Amino acid sequence: MNRRIPGKDVLYDAYGAERYNRLAALKARFDPSNLFRLNQNIEPKPSLVALR
């Protein structure tokens, strides 16, 4: 069975710009090395780490 893992564009469309950027900022804060990158990965955005 071939299961497609969604790319950034699919996730960006699904979450919307604001929510995706917020998730990316959280990812940068808690997983900056992208250790947990399987399945629906959101890449860390270090420049967006304004959430504290």
Side-chain angles (χ1 to χ4, degrees):
M1 172 192 262
N2 272 341
R3 286 183 16 174
R4 182 174 167 250
I5 297 174
K8 179 181 176 183
D9 56 336
V10 174
L11 294 175
Y12 194 84
D13 290 342
Y15 290 119
E18 184 178 344
R19 188 172 293 151
Y20 184 90
N21 288 330
R22 183 167 182 243
L23 289 169
L26 287 168
K27 178 76 170 194
R29 183 173 176 192
F30 293 104
D31 186 20
S33 63
N34 205 20
L35 177 65
F36 302 103
R37 64 185 169 275
L38 300 178
N39 296 327
Q40 298 177 357
N41 184 42
I42 293 178
E43 296 177 21
K45 300 260 189 209
S47 62
L48 298 174
V49 184
L51 300 173
R52 294 179 196 246

